[in-house]
Amino acid sequence: MTKELYRPQGSWVALITPFTPDGQVDLDGYKTLIDFHVANHTSALLIMGSTGEPTTLSLAERKEIIKNLGPYCQGKIPVFFGVTLGTTQDTIDLARYAQHNGADGVVLVAPAYIAPPQEAVFNFLKAVCDSIDIAVGLYNNPARVVVNLAPSTIVRLSQECPNLVADKEAVPDVAQLASVMDGTSGRIRLLTCDSPAYAMILPTLAMGGHGTANVTGNVAPREIAEMSQPWTNWEQAKRSRELYFELLPLMEAVYSAPNPIATKAMVRLLGLPAGYCRLPLPDVPPRTLRAMEAVIERFDLKAKYGLK
């Protein structure tokens, strides 16, 4: 390994991709968002995860984002880039491009749409891990890509790929998380998504998990960072529980439309760079937008973060 691998814990925020009014990638807006997270206790960023609309970005745009933001984040905040493409070789090429341009790591999902069998998923993930020296995180999201990463596959990868550092689970299955925790014996960090439909944050932390790979941190980074800390004492456990129920209406608002539709709308309402999702993703309807405004006012987010 060329440098010590970064191992995510706490609040790992899946960042939106901001667009300009004419629909172009807003690189200056991206930098504003990055600085916002640096100032507000986010542990690390995931750029071009599912929240970043990667399937609507051209390969040239994805490379431009990596080329500009990898160096920009260096010395400020650890950054991982989603690099999964339709083939193993294309994914390897983009992962190597991320490594060359200052990424701390990359995040991989099972290739979408093709629904490969489990052994093919293992071979795909291992090939990418083996092709780079930087950290690799897995993102298990069967709701979006059909294929579930079986715990046995994750355990095997953790044994054979020394640069595999994290597993983000987006499944409503405590048994799966327990199997990953038990089988990997601390070799990788276990994090969960913040979807209130799954409600997996407290079970994950209770089992010794390491935090959240979340969406709500786009709009309330300090609160999500505090809630997401791994538990080392009973006071932390109590505080996480309190914050979870306190922040539940905010998480529900962020997930009130398919991700990232609601997330971008809330970021936009806060006055931060966001723009609108690219078609075919629609904007939120007026009724939902009004409900989001009410939640922002309820949590006094603009005043808390000095936003106009």
Side-chain angles (χ1 to χ4, degrees):
M1 302 298 168
T2 57
K3 64 176 182 179
E4 184 177 354
L5 298 172
Y6 177 76
R7 299 178 183 275
Q9 71 172 30
S11 177
W12 188 13
V13 175
L15 202 62
I16 64 164
T17 294
F19 293 124
T20 62
D22 62 351
Q24 302 303 304
V25 174
D26 184 357
L27 291 171
D28 289 336
Y30 249 135
K31 293 173 183 178
T32 296
L33 294 176
I34 290 166
D35 292 343
F36 177 66
H37 286 280
V38 170
N40 287 294
H41 308 164
T42 294
S43 300
L45 294 173
L46 167 56
I47 291 176
M48 295 187 295
S50 56
T51 306
E53 302 174 72
T55 57
T56 72
L57 298 169
S58 69
L59 180 58
E61 286 175 322
R62 294 183 73 163
K63 286 186 171 182
E64 190 69 14
I65 289 168
I66 292 170
K67 180 181 177 181
N68 281 272
L69 302 186
Y72 188 79
C73 289
Q74 284 191 334
K76 294 185 176 184
I77 190 168
V79 62
F80 285 58
F81 293 97
V83 296
T84 301
L85 293 169
T87 72
T88 300
Q89 188 58 55
D90 286 343
T91 305
I92 287 172
D93 290 345
L94 193 57
R96 287 173 171 167
Y97 188 84
Q99 175 172 304
H100 180 71
N101 284 278
D104 293 280
V106 301
V107 168
L108 302 173
V109 296
Y113 188 72
I114 59 175
Q118 204 68 202
E119 185 67 16
V121 174
F122 172 84
N123 290 335
F124 165 76
L125 296 170
K126 186 175 189 306
V128 182
C129 287
D130 289 347
S131 72
I132 54 177
D133 296 322
I134 56 175
V136 177
L138 303 179
Y139 180 19
N140 186 29
N141 192 346
R144 285 189 179 258
V145 301
V146 180
V147 176
N148 180 54
L149 295 181
S152 58
T153 297
I154 297 168
V155 170
R156 185 178 165 198
L157 285 164
S158 77
Q159 294 168 340
E160 298 189 23
C161 302
N163 59 334
L164 179 62
V165 300
D167 172 33
K168 174 192 174 180
E169 289 284 339
V171 295
D173 187 350
V174 175
Q176 167 129 343
L177 273 65
S179 295
V180 172
M181 284 288 294
D182 182 55
T184 58
S185 303
R187 287 187 298 272
I188 64 174
R189 302 283 173 88
L190 180 67
L191 303 100
T192 186
C193 78
D194 58 336
S195 169
Y198 295 164
M200 296 298 288
I201 294 173
L202 295 178
T204 299
L205 294 171
M207 286 190 293
H210 300 89
T212 64
N214 64 78
V215 176
T216 311
N218 279 279
V219 299
R222 288 201 300 265
E223 292 85 348
I224 296 298
E226 185 179 1
M227 182 187 66
S228 301
Q229 290 305 305
W231 295 352
T232 59
N233 57 60
W234 179 239
E235 289 304 314
Q236 279 186 315
K238 289 195 293 183
R239 182 58 178 152
S240 286
R241 184 175 61 189
E242 291 169 358
L243 280 168
Y244 179 80
F245 289 106
E246 179 183 318
L247 297 173
L248 189 55
L250 192 58
M251 291 185 278
E252 289 172 340
V254 169
Y255 281 91
S256 61
N259 190 39
I261 296 169
T263 312
K264 291 193 86 167
M266 291 193 74
V267 174
R268 193 170 65 245
L269 288 171
L270 286 173
L272 289 166
Y276 295 83
C277 293
R278 282 183 172 172
L279 294 174
L281 290 178
D283 192 24
V284 294
R287 181 177 179 180
T288 303
L289 203 63
R290 289 193 294 272
M292 289 176 175
E293 290 174 331
V295 171
I296 288 171
E297 290 176 5
R298 173 179 171 181
F299 284 88
D300 200 21
L301 292 178
K302 288 187 177 182
K304 283 182 180 178
Y305 289 97
L307 301 169
K308 296 180 180 179

